[in-house]
Amino acid sequence: MEVANSNFQGAEKKNNSFGKNIGASFLAAGVSSCMPVVSLPAAMVILPQMQKVGKLPDDMVQIMHDKAEEAIKVSGLDKAGVKIKYIPAENVKKPFIKLINDPIAMIKKGMNAAYLPKKNKILMPAREISFAAFHEIGHAMNNNFSKIGKTLQSLRLPGLMAAGAIALFGAFTKTSKSQGGKELTKWQKFKNFVRDNAGKLSFAAMLPMLTEEAMATIKGQKLAKKLLSPDMFKVVSKGNKIAYLSYIGSAVAMGLSSTAAVKIKDWLVDRKANK
């Protein structure tokens, strides 16, 4: 009876430990999925700044539109079928956290622009942030004229998914420690490496996005400098610099998310184990 009772207590202790571990994992995973919200304050500052730069007189907006159309011809994108579609403004009523996850709504609000590779089409607000057309033309050039650019575009979504997966991996695993002096297995070493470098790896997974965005900016600005007056080119350059900060902020936020997931998971497990 005592042996049976001892075995039962051991099993009960093991089950409780398992439950605590799973609970800690889900809490850490929840934090990892919510941590990108740390980029919200930056977005709330950056996007209005973009709109501020893009508030131009009607005649300048028309020049931006005309020169963007000219840039498509000069670059040869017209032969590839690239066109710009201007979307009329609408008073979209959504909380900011939902708005930034709805690209079309953001375009209608005059806060964003987009290039759709599959449709070979640029979507622009009808009036706001007209300077952004040159950046989107840069995306179109990457897709149509650059193997590296097109490859980087194709890696954008997998990179974002990988960055998130690393955060979840850190939330649902624990650091492996040597038992009885035995060497860790390859899997255990790999797991420890990912957990120890989760933030850096998540940031690295977003480098294709950062690189392709930089390429699009450079190509678009070369066309803008060629076609626009110096004063109007300054508007394009300033707007693009502000916009790029949002991408850097997203990458940093994802790195922080992964680091936080690992640290919070370890802290919760240690706290439960010491009770």
Side-chain angles (χ1 to χ4, degrees), residues 36 38-39 42 46 210 244-256:
V38 299
S39 64
I46 291 169
L210 293 177
Y244 195 71
L245 290 176
S246 66
Y247 296 106
I248 294 176
S250 296
V252 171
M254 186 58 75
L256 291 174

Side-chain angles (χ1 to χ4, degrees), residues 117-133:
K118 291 184 178 180
K119 294 185 178 182
N120 226 6
K121 183 182 294 184
I122 294 171
L123 302 181
M124 286 288 300
R127 191 187 187 287
E128 302 295 328
I129 62 169
S130 55
F131 66 83

Side-chain angles (χ1 to χ4, degrees), residues 6-267:
S6 175
N7 289 339
F8 174 77
Q9 290 175 344
E12 184 180 37
K13 184 177 180 181
K14 183 176 181 180
N15 287 335
N16 285 340
S17 176
F18 177 77
K20 291 174 182 177
N21 182 44
I22 289 296
S25 295
F26 274 107
L27 183 54
V31 171
S32 75
S33 63
C34 293
M35 273 296 289
V37 172
V38 299
S39 64
L40 278 178
M44 293 176 73
V45 173
I46 291 169
L47 293 177
Q49 285 300 313
M50 285 178 59
Q51 286 184 301
K52 185 178 179 180
V53 172
K55 284 190 179 300
L56 302 173
D58 289 342
D59 59 335
M60 291 184 70
V61 171
Q62 188 59 53
I63 291 173
M64 286 285 191
H65 288 178
D66 292 343
K67 293 301 181 179
E69 296 291 347
E70 187 176 346
I72 288 178
K73 294 179 181 178
V74 169
S75 64
L77 286 172
D78 59 329
K79 295 180 177 61
V82 176
K83 294 182 180 179
I84 300 177
K85 180 179 180 180
Y86 294 97
I87 298 178
E90 287 185 23
N91 185 23
V92 181
K93 295 181 179 180
K94 279 189 175 185
F96 192 77
I97 192 169
K98 291 185 178 181
L99 184 65
I100 63 173
N101 288 316
D102 187 340
I104 300 300
M106 288 188 69
I107 294 174
K108 291 177 180 178
K109 289 277 287 185
M111 301 175 73
N112 198 11
Y115 168 65
L116 309 179
K118 291 184 178 180
K119 294 185 178 182
N120 226 6
K121 183 182 294 184
I122 294 171
L123 302 181
M124 286 288 300
R127 191 187 187 287
E128 302 295 328
I129 62 169
S130 55
F131 66 83
F134 290 93
H135 174 76
E136 302 307 327
I137 288 171
H139 280 306
M141 292 175 71
N142 285 342
N143 181 58
N144 287 280
F145 304 144
S146 171
K147 289 183 179 180
I148 294 176
K150 190 167 186 174
T151 299
L152 290 171
Q153 285 182 355
S154 69
L155 292 174
R156 186 187 188 100
L157 182 57
L160 290 170
M161 293 176 66
I166 290 167
L168 292 174
F169 183 85
F172 281 94
T173 58
K174 293 192 300 181
T175 298
S176 295
K177 298 178 181 180
S178 177
Q179 301 293 329
K182 292 183 179 180
E183 185 178 355
L184 297 178
T185 64
K186 290 182 179 180
W187 164 249
Q188 289 173 324
K189 290 179 180 178
F190 171 78
K191 181 175 63 173
N192 288 353
F193 173 80
V194 173
R195 298 189 91 252
D196 291 343
N197 299 278
K200 296 176 183 177
L201 292 172
S202 285
F203 183 87
M206 299 185 72
L207 286 177
M209 177 192 75
L210 293 177
T211 304
E212 196 273 329
E213 289 290 342
M215 288 175 63
T217 293
I218 292 170
K219 291 178 180 180
Q221 288 196 172
K222 282 184 179 179
L223 285 167
K225 190 172 184 177
K226 181 178 180 180
L227 299 172
L228 296 173
S229 68
D231 287 341
M232 292 192 70
F233 172 71
K234 286 180 181 178
V235 174
V236 174
S237 180
K238 184 177 181 179
N240 285 340
K241 288 175 182 176
I242 294 172
Y244 195 71
L245 290 176
S246 66
Y247 296 106
I248 294 176
S250 296
V252 171
M254 186 58 75
L256 291 174
S257 172
S258 295
T259 299
V262 171
K263 290 187 178 297
I264 291 172
K265 166 65 182 293
D266 290 347
W267 178 75

